[in-house]
Amino acid sequence: IAESYTRTLLVTIGASVVLLFVLLWLWQVRKHSRQLKENERIIWQQAHYDYLTQLPNRRLFQDRINQLLINHERRSTRFALLLIDLDGFKEVNDTMGHDQGDALLKMVTHRLSECLRKSDSLSRLGGDEFTVIVKNLSKSQTAEAVAQKMLEVMAQPFYLQNSPVYISASIGITLFPDDYPDTYDSASLMKNADQAMYEAKKLGKNQFHYYTDNMHHEALYRMELLADLRSAIDDHEFQLYYQPIINLKNDRIEKLEALVRWHSDKRGVVPPNEFITLLEETRLINTLGDQLFDEALAFSKSINQNRERPIEISLNVSPLQLKFKTVETWPKKLKAEHARVTLEVTESMLMEYNISDSLVSLRNMGFKVSLDDFGVGYSSLAYLRQFPFDYLKIDRSFVNHMTETSDELHLCKAIIDMAHQLKLSVIAEGVETQEQMDLLKSLNCDYAQGYLISRPLPTAEITALIQNKQSIPEFELQNPV
Protein backbone atom coordinates (compact mmCIF):
# COMPACT_ATOMS: atom_id res chain seq x y z
CA ILE A 1 0.00 0.00 0.00
CA ALA A 2 2.86 2.36 0.92
CA GLU A 3 4.59 1.72 -2.37
CA SER A 4 1.38 2.32 -4.30
CA TYR A 5 0.74 5.53 -2.40
CA THR A 6 4.30 6.71 -3.07
CA ARG A 7 4.04 5.89 -6.74
CA THR A 8 0.72 7.76 -7.00
CA LEU A 9 2.18 10.73 -5.18
CA LEU A 10 5.18 10.86 -7.50
CA VAL A 11 2.98 10.66 -10.55
CA THR A 12 0.79 13.44 -9.19
CA ILE A 13 3.80 15.61 -8.40
CA GLY A 14 5.28 14.94 -11.83
CA ALA A 15 2.01 15.78 -13.53
CA SER A 16 1.73 18.96 -11.46
CA VAL A 17 5.27 19.99 -12.42
CA VAL A 18 4.53 19.33 -16.07
CA LEU A 19 1.28 21.25 -15.80
CA LEU A 20 3.12 24.10 -14.07
CA PHE A 21 5.71 24.22 -16.86
CA VAL A 22 2.94 24.18 -19.45
CA LEU A 23 1.16 27.02 -17.69
CA LEU A 24 4.41 28.98 -17.43
CA TRP A 25 5.05 28.36 -21.10
CA LEU A 26 1.55 29.48 -22.04
CA TRP A 27 1.96 32.59 -19.86
CA GLN A 28 5.26 33.39 -21.56
CA VAL A 29 3.70 32.85 -24.99
CA ARG A 30 0.78 35.11 -24.09
CA LYS A 31 3.14 37.71 -22.62
CA HIS A 32 5.33 37.55 -25.71
CA SER A 33 2.26 37.87 -27.92
CA ARG A 34 1.09 40.92 -25.98
CA GLN A 35 4.60 42.37 -26.26
CA LEU A 36 4.64 41.70 -29.99
CA LYS A 37 1.28 43.40 -30.36
CA GLU A 38 2.49 46.35 -28.28
CA ASN A 39 5.68 46.55 -30.31
CA GLU A 40 3.63 46.44 -33.51
CA ARG A 41 1.39 49.18 -32.14
CA ILE A 42 4.40 51.35 -31.24
CA ILE A 43 6.02 50.75 -34.62
CA TRP A 44 2.75 51.58 -36.40
CA GLN A 45 2.35 54.69 -34.22
CA GLN A 46 5.88 55.85 -34.96
CA ALA A 47 5.43 55.14 -38.66
CA HIS A 48 2.15 57.04 -38.94
CA TYR A 49 2.24 59.80 -36.32
CA ASP A 50 4.55 62.75 -35.76
CA TYR A 51 6.66 62.21 -32.64
CA LEU A 52 6.49 65.87 -31.55
CA THR A 53 2.87 66.91 -32.12
CA GLN A 54 1.28 63.42 -32.18
CA LEU A 55 -0.51 64.45 -35.36
CA PRO A 56 -0.79 62.12 -38.36
CA ASN A 57 2.43 62.38 -40.35
CA ARG A 58 2.95 62.54 -44.11
CA ARG A 59 2.49 58.79 -44.54
CA LEU A 60 -0.86 58.58 -42.74
CA PHE A 61 -2.02 61.79 -44.40
CA GLN A 62 -1.21 60.22 -47.77
CA ASP A 63 -3.20 57.13 -46.86
CA ARG A 64 -6.21 59.23 -45.88
CA ILE A 65 -6.13 61.25 -49.08
CA ASN A 66 -5.86 58.07 -51.15
CA GLN A 67 -8.79 56.57 -49.26
CA LEU A 68 -10.93 59.63 -49.97
CA LEU A 69 -10.08 59.42 -53.66
CA ILE A 70 -10.96 55.71 -53.75
CA ASN A 71 -14.28 56.37 -51.99
CA HIS A 72 -14.99 59.07 -54.57
CA GLU A 73 -15.02 56.38 -57.26
CA ARG A 74 -17.92 54.64 -55.47
CA ARG A 75 -19.71 57.64 -54.08
CA SER A 76 -19.09 61.24 -55.11
CA THR A 77 -17.44 63.17 -52.32
CA ARG A 78 -16.25 66.75 -51.95
CA PHE A 79 -13.44 67.98 -49.73
CA ALA A 80 -10.80 70.69 -49.47
CA LEU A 81 -7.08 70.25 -48.93
CA LEU A 82 -5.35 73.08 -47.10
CA LEU A 83 -1.54 73.34 -47.01
CA ILE A 84 -0.29 75.57 -44.19
CA ASP A 85 3.23 76.97 -43.98
CA LEU A 86 4.27 79.07 -40.98
CA ASP A 87 5.68 82.55 -41.68
CA GLY A 88 8.56 83.54 -39.41
CA PHE A 89 9.07 80.15 -37.74
CA LYS A 90 12.66 79.79 -38.92
CA GLU A 91 13.60 83.08 -37.26
CA VAL A 92 12.18 81.85 -33.94
CA ASN A 93 14.07 78.58 -34.30
CA ASP A 94 17.33 80.37 -35.13
CA THR A 95 17.11 83.02 -32.39
CA MET A 96 15.51 81.09 -29.50
CA GLY A 97 16.73 77.55 -30.18
CA HIS A 98 15.15 74.31 -31.36
CA ASP A 99 13.62 73.51 -27.96
CA GLN A 100 11.57 76.69 -28.09
CA GLY A 101 10.81 76.00 -31.73
CA ASP A 102 9.41 72.59 -30.76
CA ALA A 103 7.33 74.20 -28.02
CA LEU A 104 5.96 76.67 -30.56
CA LEU A 105 4.98 73.84 -32.93
CA LYS A 106 2.99 72.19 -30.14
CA MET A 107 1.16 75.46 -29.46
CA VAL A 108 0.45 75.88 -33.16
CA THR A 109 -0.93 72.33 -33.30
CA HIS A 110 -3.31 73.08 -30.42
CA ARG A 111 -4.59 76.29 -32.02
CA LEU A 112 -5.07 74.76 -35.46
CA SER A 113 -6.91 71.77 -33.97
CA GLU A 114 -9.39 74.08 -32.26
CA CYS A 115 -10.41 75.46 -35.68
CA LEU A 116 -11.56 72.08 -37.00
CA ARG A 117 -14.52 69.74 -36.72
CA LYS A 118 -14.10 66.15 -35.54
CA SER A 119 -14.56 64.93 -39.10
CA ASP A 120 -11.65 67.07 -40.37
CA SER A 121 -8.06 65.88 -40.31
CA LEU A 122 -4.95 67.85 -39.31
CA SER A 123 -1.50 66.46 -40.17
CA ARG A 124 2.08 67.62 -39.89
CA LEU A 125 4.15 66.97 -42.99
CA GLY A 126 7.41 67.98 -41.34
CA GLY A 127 9.22 71.16 -40.33
CA ASP A 128 6.68 73.98 -40.18
CA GLU A 129 4.28 72.53 -42.78
CA PHE A 130 0.80 71.28 -41.86
CA THR A 131 -2.13 70.00 -43.90
CA VAL A 132 -5.86 69.96 -43.23
CA ILE A 133 -8.49 67.84 -44.94
CA VAL A 134 -11.89 69.50 -44.63
CA LYS A 135 -14.45 66.81 -45.45
CA ASN A 136 -18.09 66.86 -46.54
CA LEU A 137 -17.97 70.26 -48.19
CA SER A 138 -21.21 71.73 -49.39
CA LYS A 139 -19.63 74.89 -50.77
CA SER A 140 -16.20 76.51 -50.95
CA GLN A 141 -17.06 78.98 -48.20
CA THR A 142 -16.64 76.18 -45.65
CA ALA A 143 -12.95 75.84 -46.50
CA GLU A 144 -12.58 79.62 -46.60
CA ALA A 145 -14.11 79.95 -43.14
CA VAL A 146 -11.67 77.39 -41.74
CA ALA A 147 -8.70 79.15 -43.34
CA GLN A 148 -9.82 82.56 -42.07
CA LYS A 149 -10.26 81.22 -38.54
CA MET A 150 -6.76 79.73 -38.66
CA LEU A 151 -5.27 83.05 -39.72
CA GLU A 152 -7.03 84.77 -36.85
CA VAL A 153 -5.82 82.39 -34.15
CA MET A 154 -2.29 82.44 -35.57
CA ALA A 155 -2.25 86.23 -35.35
CA GLN A 156 -2.50 86.07 -31.56
CA PRO A 157 0.87 86.16 -29.74
CA PHE A 158 2.55 82.95 -28.61
CA TYR A 159 4.47 83.10 -25.34
CA LEU A 160 7.92 81.52 -25.17
CA GLN A 161 10.13 82.11 -22.14
CA ASN A 162 7.51 84.60 -20.92
CA SER A 163 7.98 86.72 -24.05
CA PRO A 164 5.41 87.26 -26.82
CA VAL A 165 6.34 85.78 -30.20
CA TYR A 166 4.46 86.63 -33.39
CA ILE A 167 4.23 84.40 -36.43
CA SER A 168 1.62 83.98 -39.15
CA ALA A 169 0.56 81.42 -41.73
CA SER A 170 0.30 81.20 -45.51
CA ILE A 171 -2.42 78.80 -46.64
CA GLY A 172 -3.00 77.22 -50.03
CA ILE A 173 -6.41 75.69 -50.78
CA THR A 174 -7.40 73.22 -53.48
CA LEU A 175 -10.96 71.89 -53.82
CA PHE A 176 -11.80 68.34 -54.89
CA PRO A 177 -13.27 67.53 -57.37
CA ASP A 178 -13.77 71.15 -58.50
CA ASP A 179 -10.10 71.65 -59.47
CA TYR A 180 -9.82 68.19 -61.12
CA PRO A 181 -12.17 67.78 -64.10
CA ASP A 182 -9.97 65.12 -65.71
CA THR A 183 -7.38 62.99 -63.94
CA TYR A 184 -6.36 63.23 -60.31
CA ASP A 185 -4.19 61.61 -57.66
CA SER A 186 -2.80 62.56 -54.25
CA ALA A 187 0.39 63.96 -55.78
CA SER A 188 -1.54 66.39 -57.98
CA LEU A 189 -3.60 67.57 -54.99
CA MET A 190 -0.46 68.27 -52.99
CA LYS A 191 1.23 70.01 -55.90
CA ASN A 192 -1.74 72.30 -56.47
CA ALA A 193 -2.13 73.15 -52.77
CA ASP A 194 1.59 73.92 -52.66
CA GLN A 195 1.31 76.26 -55.65
CA ALA A 196 -1.62 78.06 -54.00
CA MET A 197 0.35 78.38 -50.76
CA TYR A 198 3.34 79.76 -52.64
CA GLU A 199 1.06 82.37 -54.22
CA ALA A 200 -0.18 83.38 -50.75
CA LYS A 201 3.42 83.90 -49.67
CA LYS A 202 4.25 85.84 -52.82
CA LEU A 203 1.31 88.19 -52.19
CA GLY A 204 2.61 89.12 -48.74
CA LYS A 205 2.05 86.09 -46.46
CA ASN A 206 -0.51 85.89 -43.61
CA GLN A 207 -3.33 85.01 -46.03
CA PHE A 208 -4.91 82.14 -47.96
CA HIS A 209 -5.14 81.61 -51.69
CA TYR A 210 -7.16 79.21 -53.83
CA TYR A 211 -5.55 77.11 -56.54
CA THR A 212 -6.29 78.23 -60.11
CA ASP A 213 -5.49 76.72 -63.51
CA ASN A 214 -3.13 79.60 -64.22
CA MET A 215 -0.90 78.46 -61.38
CA HIS A 216 -0.18 75.21 -63.17
CA HIS A 217 0.98 77.04 -66.28
CA GLU A 218 3.01 79.46 -64.15
CA ALA A 219 4.65 76.56 -62.33
CA LEU A 220 5.63 74.94 -65.61
CA TYR A 221 6.98 78.27 -66.86
CA ARG A 222 9.01 78.73 -63.64
CA MET A 223 10.43 75.22 -63.92
CA GLU A 224 11.51 75.76 -67.52
CA LEU A 225 12.83 79.23 -66.74
CA LEU A 226 14.88 77.89 -63.83
CA ALA A 227 16.47 75.25 -66.05
CA ASP A 228 17.32 77.95 -68.61
CA LEU A 229 18.74 80.20 -65.88
CA ARG A 230 21.11 77.49 -64.70
CA SER A 231 22.33 76.94 -68.25
CA ALA A 232 22.61 80.70 -68.82
CA ILE A 233 24.86 81.12 -65.78
CA ASP A 234 27.07 78.22 -66.88
CA ASP A 235 27.24 79.61 -70.43
CA HIS A 236 27.80 83.23 -69.28
CA GLU A 237 24.76 84.54 -71.14
CA PHE A 238 24.32 87.37 -68.64
CA GLN A 239 26.13 90.64 -69.20
CA LEU A 240 26.27 94.08 -67.68
CA TYR A 241 24.98 97.24 -69.33
CA TYR A 242 26.07 100.59 -67.92
CA GLN A 243 23.98 103.73 -67.48
CA PRO A 244 25.91 107.00 -67.04
CA ILE A 245 25.49 109.16 -63.93
CA ILE A 246 26.63 112.76 -64.48
CA ASN A 247 27.89 115.33 -62.03
CA LEU A 248 25.43 118.23 -62.25
CA LYS A 249 28.19 120.72 -61.39
CA ASN A 250 30.17 120.02 -64.58
CA ASP A 251 27.91 117.72 -66.68
CA ARG A 252 30.63 115.04 -66.78
CA ILE A 253 30.13 111.31 -66.51
CA GLU A 254 31.65 110.36 -63.15
CA LYS A 255 29.71 107.20 -62.32
CA LEU A 256 28.12 104.25 -64.08
CA GLU A 257 25.35 102.02 -62.75
CA ALA A 258 25.83 98.40 -63.79
CA LEU A 259 22.55 96.73 -64.80
CA VAL A 260 22.26 93.03 -65.62
CA ARG A 261 20.83 91.95 -68.96
CA TRP A 262 20.02 88.43 -70.16
CA HIS A 263 20.26 87.80 -73.89
CA SER A 264 19.09 84.20 -74.01
CA ASP A 265 19.87 82.07 -77.05
CA LYS A 266 16.52 80.38 -76.52
CA ARG A 267 14.27 83.19 -75.21
CA GLY A 268 15.81 86.31 -76.67
CA VAL A 269 16.01 89.37 -74.38
CA VAL A 270 14.49 88.53 -70.98
CA PRO A 271 13.54 91.50 -68.72
CA PRO A 272 15.20 91.46 -65.25
CA ASN A 273 11.83 91.49 -63.45
CA GLU A 274 11.14 88.03 -64.89
CA PHE A 275 14.24 86.33 -63.51
CA ILE A 276 15.72 88.27 -60.56
CA THR A 277 13.14 87.00 -58.06
CA LEU A 278 13.63 83.40 -59.18
CA LEU A 279 17.39 83.79 -58.92
CA GLU A 280 16.97 84.95 -55.33
CA GLU A 281 14.54 82.18 -54.40
CA THR A 282 16.93 79.52 -55.66
CA ARG A 283 20.05 81.36 -54.38
CA LEU A 284 21.51 81.28 -57.86
CA ILE A 285 21.86 85.02 -57.33
CA ASN A 286 24.99 84.27 -55.31
CA THR A 287 26.73 82.51 -58.20
CA LEU A 288 25.60 85.08 -60.76
CA GLY A 289 26.48 87.94 -58.42
CA ASP A 290 30.08 86.78 -58.21
CA GLN A 291 30.28 86.53 -62.01
CA LEU A 292 28.89 90.04 -62.46
CA PHE A 293 31.19 91.51 -59.81
CA ASP A 294 34.21 90.07 -61.58
CA GLU A 295 32.88 91.46 -64.88
CA ALA A 296 32.37 94.91 -63.32
CA LEU A 297 35.91 94.91 -61.90
CA ALA A 298 37.39 93.94 -65.27
CA PHE A 299 35.44 96.72 -66.97
CA SER A 300 36.47 99.22 -64.29
CA LYS A 301 40.12 98.35 -64.86
CA SER A 302 39.70 98.72 -68.61
CA ILE A 303 37.79 102.01 -68.57
CA ASN A 304 39.94 103.71 -65.95
CA GLN A 305 43.35 103.12 -67.50
CA ASN A 306 45.27 106.40 -67.58
CA ARG A 307 42.31 108.33 -66.18
CA GLU A 308 43.15 111.06 -63.72
CA ARG A 309 39.76 110.75 -61.97
CA PRO A 310 38.51 107.12 -62.04
CA ILE A 311 34.90 106.46 -62.94
CA GLU A 312 33.00 104.76 -60.14
CA ILE A 313 30.89 101.65 -60.81
CA SER A 314 27.59 101.19 -58.92
CA LEU A 315 26.46 97.59 -58.50
CA ASN A 316 23.09 96.45 -57.15
CA VAL A 317 23.36 93.69 -54.55
CA SER A 318 20.76 91.25 -53.30
CA PRO A 319 20.17 90.87 -49.57
CA LEU A 320 20.91 87.16 -49.95
CA GLN A 321 24.43 87.95 -51.10
CA LEU A 322 24.98 89.81 -47.84
CA LYS A 323 23.04 87.36 -45.68
CA PHE A 324 24.95 84.31 -46.87
CA LYS A 325 28.30 86.11 -46.91
CA THR A 326 28.96 85.38 -50.58
CA VAL A 327 30.47 88.86 -50.91
CA GLU A 328 33.27 88.10 -48.44
CA THR A 329 35.79 87.62 -51.27
CA TRP A 330 34.91 90.95 -52.90
CA PRO A 331 37.05 93.32 -50.76
CA LYS A 332 40.24 91.40 -51.60
CA LYS A 333 39.40 91.56 -55.32
CA LEU A 334 38.53 95.24 -55.03
CA LYS A 335 41.85 96.04 -53.40
CA ALA A 336 43.80 94.02 -55.98
CA GLU A 337 42.23 95.94 -58.88
CA HIS A 338 42.33 99.37 -57.17
CA ALA A 339 38.73 99.83 -58.33
CA ARG A 340 36.06 102.18 -57.00
CA VAL A 341 32.75 100.37 -56.50
CA THR A 342 29.51 101.47 -54.86
CA LEU A 343 27.06 98.86 -53.59
CA GLU A 344 23.40 99.82 -53.98
CA VAL A 345 20.81 98.56 -51.48
CA THR A 346 17.11 99.35 -51.09
CA GLU A 347 15.08 100.42 -48.07
CA SER A 348 13.11 97.17 -48.13
CA MET A 349 16.37 95.23 -47.80
CA LEU A 350 17.21 97.12 -44.62
CA MET A 351 13.77 96.42 -43.20
CA GLU A 352 13.57 92.72 -43.99
CA TYR A 353 17.15 91.57 -43.45
CA ASN A 354 19.75 92.09 -40.76
CA ILE A 355 22.58 93.27 -43.01
CA SER A 356 23.87 96.32 -41.16
CA ASP A 357 27.03 94.55 -39.94
CA SER A 358 27.82 93.37 -43.47
CA LEU A 359 27.39 96.89 -44.87
CA VAL A 360 29.63 98.42 -42.22
CA SER A 361 32.28 95.76 -42.84
CA LEU A 362 32.22 96.23 -46.61
CA ARG A 363 32.39 100.00 -46.32
CA ASN A 364 35.38 99.73 -43.99
CA MET A 365 37.11 97.60 -46.63
CA GLY A 366 36.85 100.07 -49.48
CA PHE A 367 33.29 100.01 -50.84
CA LYS A 368 30.89 102.91 -50.88
CA VAL A 369 27.20 102.34 -50.12
CA SER A 370 24.17 103.90 -51.80
CA LEU A 371 20.54 103.84 -50.61
CA ASP A 372 18.43 103.23 -53.71
CA ASP A 373 14.77 104.15 -54.39
CA PHE A 374 14.57 106.54 -51.45
CA GLY A 375 11.08 107.83 -50.76
CA VAL A 376 8.91 104.94 -51.92
CA GLY A 377 9.70 102.38 -49.23
CA TYR A 378 9.67 102.77 -45.49
CA SER A 379 11.53 106.09 -45.67
CA SER A 380 12.70 105.95 -42.08
CA LEU A 381 15.16 108.71 -41.25
CA ALA A 382 16.68 106.32 -38.72
CA TYR A 383 18.20 104.37 -41.62
CA LEU A 384 20.14 107.43 -42.76
CA ARG A 385 21.58 107.83 -39.28
CA GLN A 386 22.08 104.14 -38.51
CA PHE A 387 23.60 102.82 -41.75
CA PRO A 388 26.87 103.89 -43.39
CA PHE A 389 25.61 105.51 -46.60
CA ASP A 390 27.59 107.65 -49.01
CA TYR A 391 24.83 108.33 -51.53
CA LEU A 392 21.08 108.69 -51.47
CA LYS A 393 19.15 108.05 -54.70
CA ILE A 394 15.83 109.86 -55.13
CA ASP A 395 13.30 107.47 -56.67
CA ARG A 396 12.31 108.15 -60.28
CA SER A 397 8.63 108.52 -59.34
CA PHE A 398 9.43 111.88 -57.71
CA VAL A 399 11.59 113.11 -60.58
CA ASN A 400 9.22 112.02 -63.36
CA HIS A 401 6.40 114.24 -62.10
CA MET A 402 8.54 117.18 -61.04
CA THR A 403 7.65 120.62 -62.44
CA GLU A 404 8.07 124.16 -61.15
CA THR A 405 4.65 124.03 -59.46
CA SER A 406 4.50 120.39 -58.36
CA ASP A 407 4.62 118.97 -54.84
CA GLU A 408 7.40 116.68 -56.06
CA LEU A 409 9.66 119.71 -56.42
CA HIS A 410 9.27 120.53 -52.72
CA LEU A 411 9.75 116.90 -51.74
CA CYS A 412 12.95 116.64 -53.77
CA LYS A 413 14.23 119.88 -52.24
CA ALA A 414 13.54 118.58 -48.73
CA ILE A 415 15.31 115.28 -49.47
CA ILE A 416 18.34 117.02 -50.98
CA ASP A 417 18.67 119.52 -48.11
CA MET A 418 18.30 116.77 -45.50
CA ALA A 419 20.86 114.54 -47.23
CA HIS A 420 23.39 117.35 -47.46
CA GLN A 421 22.97 118.05 -43.74
CA LEU A 422 23.87 114.40 -43.16
CA LYS A 423 26.86 114.76 -45.50
CA LEU A 424 25.34 112.48 -48.16
CA SER A 425 25.57 113.07 -51.90
CA VAL A 426 22.27 112.88 -53.81
CA ILE A 427 21.62 111.11 -57.12
CA ALA A 428 18.32 111.74 -58.92
CA GLU A 429 17.02 108.80 -60.98
CA GLY A 430 14.70 108.86 -63.96
CA VAL A 431 15.66 112.22 -65.48
CA GLU A 432 13.89 112.38 -68.85
CA THR A 433 13.43 116.07 -69.68
CA GLN A 434 15.61 119.15 -69.76
CA GLU A 435 13.19 120.87 -67.38
CA GLN A 436 13.79 118.16 -64.78
CA MET A 437 17.54 118.52 -65.24
CA ASP A 438 17.40 122.30 -64.79
CA LEU A 439 15.20 122.02 -61.70
CA LEU A 440 17.57 119.50 -60.11
CA LYS A 441 20.49 121.85 -60.70
CA SER A 442 18.54 124.69 -59.09
CA LEU A 443 17.93 122.46 -56.06
CA ASN A 444 21.68 121.83 -55.74
CA CYS A 445 21.35 118.10 -56.49
CA ASP A 446 24.73 116.43 -56.93
CA TYR A 447 24.18 113.81 -59.66
CA ALA A 448 21.57 112.83 -62.26
CA GLN A 449 20.77 109.61 -64.10
CA GLY A 450 18.14 108.88 -66.72
CA TYR A 451 17.20 108.50 -70.37
CA LEU A 452 17.78 112.20 -71.06
CA ILE A 453 21.46 111.49 -70.47
CA SER A 454 21.65 107.96 -71.87
CA ARG A 455 19.96 104.62 -71.84
CA PRO A 456 21.94 101.68 -70.38
CA LEU A 457 24.63 100.75 -72.92
CA PRO A 458 26.68 97.61 -73.53
CA THR A 459 30.40 97.68 -72.81
CA ALA A 460 31.59 98.71 -76.27
CA GLU A 461 29.15 101.64 -76.59
CA ILE A 462 29.70 103.04 -73.10
CA THR A 463 33.47 102.76 -73.63
CA ALA A 464 33.22 104.73 -76.86
CA LEU A 465 31.02 107.30 -75.18
CA ILE A 466 33.52 107.90 -72.39
CA GLN A 467 36.89 107.46 -74.10
CA ASN A 468 36.05 109.26 -77.33
CA LYS A 469 34.12 111.98 -75.52
CA GLN A 470 31.26 111.60 -77.94
CA SER A 471 28.05 113.50 -77.36
CA ILE A 472 25.32 111.78 -75.37
CA PRO A 473 23.37 109.62 -77.86
CA GLU A 474 19.74 110.50 -78.40
CA PHE A 475 17.24 107.99 -77.17
CA GLU A 476 13.61 107.43 -78.04
CA LEU A 477 11.73 107.15 -74.76
CA GLN A 478 8.91 105.18 -76.28
CA ASN A 479 11.28 102.31 -77.10
CA PRO A 480 13.53 101.77 -74.07
CA VAL A 481 16.04 98.93 -73.91
Side-chain angles (χ1 to χ4, degrees):
I1 294 173
E3 289 177 1
S4 176
Y5 176 78
T6 301
R7 190 180 302 109
T8 301
L9 180 63
L10 290 172
V11 170
T12 302
I13 292 172
S16 298
V17 170
V18 170
L19 178 61
L20 178 62
F21 275 110
V22 169
L23 291 173
L24 286 172
W25 178 78
L26 290 173
W27 180 77
Q28 288 288 348
V29 169
R30 186 175 181 184
K31 180 181 177 182
H32 182 65
S33 177
R34 286 200 303 267
Q35 186 63 48
L36 284 176
K37 289 182 179 179
E38 178 64 16
N39 289 343
E40 289 175 358
R41 187 194 68 79
I42 292 174
I43 292 172
W44 190 90
Q45 178 81 11
Q46 291 175 343
H48 292 84
Y49 284 85
D50 176 53
Y51 77 97
L52 178 65
T53 62
Q54 298 306 306
L55 291 175
N57 62 12
R58 182 184 293 270
R59 182 175 181 178
L60 184 53
F61 158 75
Q62 198 83 25
D63 289 344
R64 290 180 176 178
I65 283 286
N66 288 332
Q67 193 61 45
L68 283 172
L69 296 178
I70 292 172
N71 291 340
H72 178 72
E73 300 292 340
R74 298 195 300 266
R75 184 183 63 184
S76 180
T77 182
R78 191 167 185 268
F79 64 88
L81 173 61
L82 282 65
L83 179 61
I84 305 161
D85 188 89
L86 303 183
D87 307 320
F89 174 76
K90 185 178 184 302
E91 287 71 15
V92 175
N93 229 11
D94 292 344
T95 57
M96 304 187 72
H98 291 279
D99 289 342
Q100 294 303 311
D102 289 346
L104 178 58
L105 287 174
K106 292 179 181 179
M107 296 180 194
V108 168
T109 299
H110 178 70
R111 289 193 188 182
L112 294 180
S113 299
E114 289 184 332
C115 300
L116 304 176
R117 304 166 301 177
K118 289 184 178 180
S119 60
D120 301 328
S121 177
L122 173 66
S123 305
R124 182 191 176 204
L125 298 185
D128 59 352
E129 279 194 336
F130 296 80
T131 59
V132 172
I133 302 173
V134 183
K135 301 178 183 176
N136 304 320
L137 281 180
S138 58
K139 52 185 179 179
S140 63
Q141 281 69 22
T142 306
E144 185 172 320
V146 172
Q148 188 60 50
K149 190 174 181 181
M150 287 180 170
L151 294 177
E152 291 172 2
V153 300
M154 292 297 294
Q156 302 302 314
F158 295 86
Y159 286 89
L160 298 174
Q161 298 177 335
N162 298 321
S163 299
V165 173
Y166 293 89
I167 61 173
S168 60
S170 297
I171 304 175
I173 305 175
T174 183
L175 301 176
F176 182 88
D178 307 50
D179 296 334
Y180 305 89
D182 300 319
T183 59
Y184 55 82
D185 54 33
S186 60
S188 61
L189 267 69
M190 277 299 298
K191 179 185 67 176
N192 293 346
D194 185 69
Q195 290 173 7
M197 183 273 292
Y198 173 82
E199 188 67 18
K201 280 192 176 294
K202 190 168 70 172
L203 293 174
K205 304 178 182 179
N206 191 28
Q207 58 186 289
F208 63 85
H209 199 284
Y210 282 100
Y211 169 78
T212 65
D213 287 336
N214 287 337
M215 291 181 184
H216 176 67
H217 300 298
E218 290 176 5
L220 289 177
Y221 175 78
R222 283 169 52 84
M223 184 174 66
E224 293 172 358
L225 180 61
L226 179 58
D228 291 344
L229 280 171
R230 294 183 187 277
S231 299
I233 292 174
D234 292 339
D235 297 338
H236 294 271
E237 289 184 359
F238 293 93
Q239 57 182 296
L240 289 175
Y241 276 43
Y242 298 89
Q243 186 170 32
I245 301 173
I246 66 168
N247 187 327
L248 289 176
K249 301 296 187 296
N250 55 29
D251 290 334
R252 291 180 180 174
I253 298 173
E254 294 188 359
K255 305 177 187 301
L256 300 172
E257 180 177 359
L259 301 165
V260 64
R261 294 291 185 265
W262 181 18
H263 294 273
S264 170
D265 294 338
K266 175 181 176 181
R267 299 172 178 268
V269 179
V270 185
N273 61 341
E274 289 191 20
F275 62 82
I276 292 295
T277 301
L278 188 55
L279 285 172
E280 291 181 329
E281 289 173 2
T282 56
R283 299 186 187 177
L284 288 173
I285 192 70
N286 295 319
T287 303
L288 178 60
D290 283 344
Q291 283 187 10
L292 297 179
F293 180 72
D294 292 341
E295 182 181 333
L297 282 186
F299 177 71
S300 176
K301 182 178 181 180
S302 170
I303 202 71
N304 285 317
Q305 284 183 348
N306 304 318
R307 287 189 66 86
E308 210 173 292
R309 184 182 179 88
I311 290 178
E312 196 172 280
I313 305 295
S314 293
L315 195 65
N316 295 279
V317 292
S318 163
L320 295 180
Q321 293 172 270
L322 299 173
K323 181 179 179 180
F324 293 104
K325 311 294 184 183
T326 58
V327 299
E328 286 185 341
T329 60
W330 289 12
K332 187 175 181 181
K333 295 178 180 178
L334 183 76
K335 186 176 181 181
E337 297 296 340
H338 304 285
R340 296 175 61 182
V341 175
T342 296
L343 303 178
E344 294 198 8
V345 299
T346 62
E347 290 178 278
S348 58
M349 285 173 57
L350 304 180
M351 186 72 177
E352 296 176 16
Y353 299 89
N354 183 21
I355 58 173
S356 57
D357 292 341
S358 297
L359 286 179
V360 171
S361 177
L362 288 167
R363 191 170 185 268
N364 290 338
M365 288 187 282
F367 289 93
K368 290 186 178 181
V369 181
S370 176
L371 179 60
D372 198 7
D373 299 335
F374 184 80
V376 295
Y378 303 95
S379 298
S380 172
L381 299 181
Y383 294 143
L384 301 182
R385 179 175 53 84
Q386 179 182 354
F387 293 96
F389 297 117
D390 298 282
Y391 304 105
L392 184 152
K393 299 188 78 170
I394 302 176
D395 186 72
R396 67 183 64 250
S397 61
F398 292 99
V399 178
N400 284 344
H401 298 93
M402 186 172 60
T403 64
E404 289 186 356
T405 58
S406 66
D407 291 337
E408 283 77 9
L409 178 69
H410 302 296
L411 287 171
C412 287
K413 183 180 187 308
I415 293 173
I416 292 168
D417 291 343
M418 174 194 63
H420 286 169
Q421 289 295 323
L422 296 172
K423 297 181 171 28
L424 302 177
S425 297
V426 181
I427 302 171
E429 296 182 292
V431 180
E432 296 182 355
T433 68
Q434 189 61 48
E435 180 187 13
Q436 294 166 359
M437 180 79 80
D438 294 338
L439 288 173
L440 288 169
K441 288 182 178 181
S442 70
L443 296 177
N444 201 29
C445 186
D446 301 290
Y447 299 94
Q449 173 183 357
Y451 286 156
L452 177 69
I453 302 162
S454 173
R455 59 185 170 87
L457 300 171
T459 302
E461 291 184 37
I462 196 69
T463 301
L465 177 65
I466 294 171
Q467 292 183 346
N468 299 332
K469 299 181 180 180
Q470 295 177 352
S471 60
I472 300 294
E474 294 183 0
F475 180 66
E476 296 181 4
L477 298 180
Q478 67 272 18
N479 185 30
V481 175

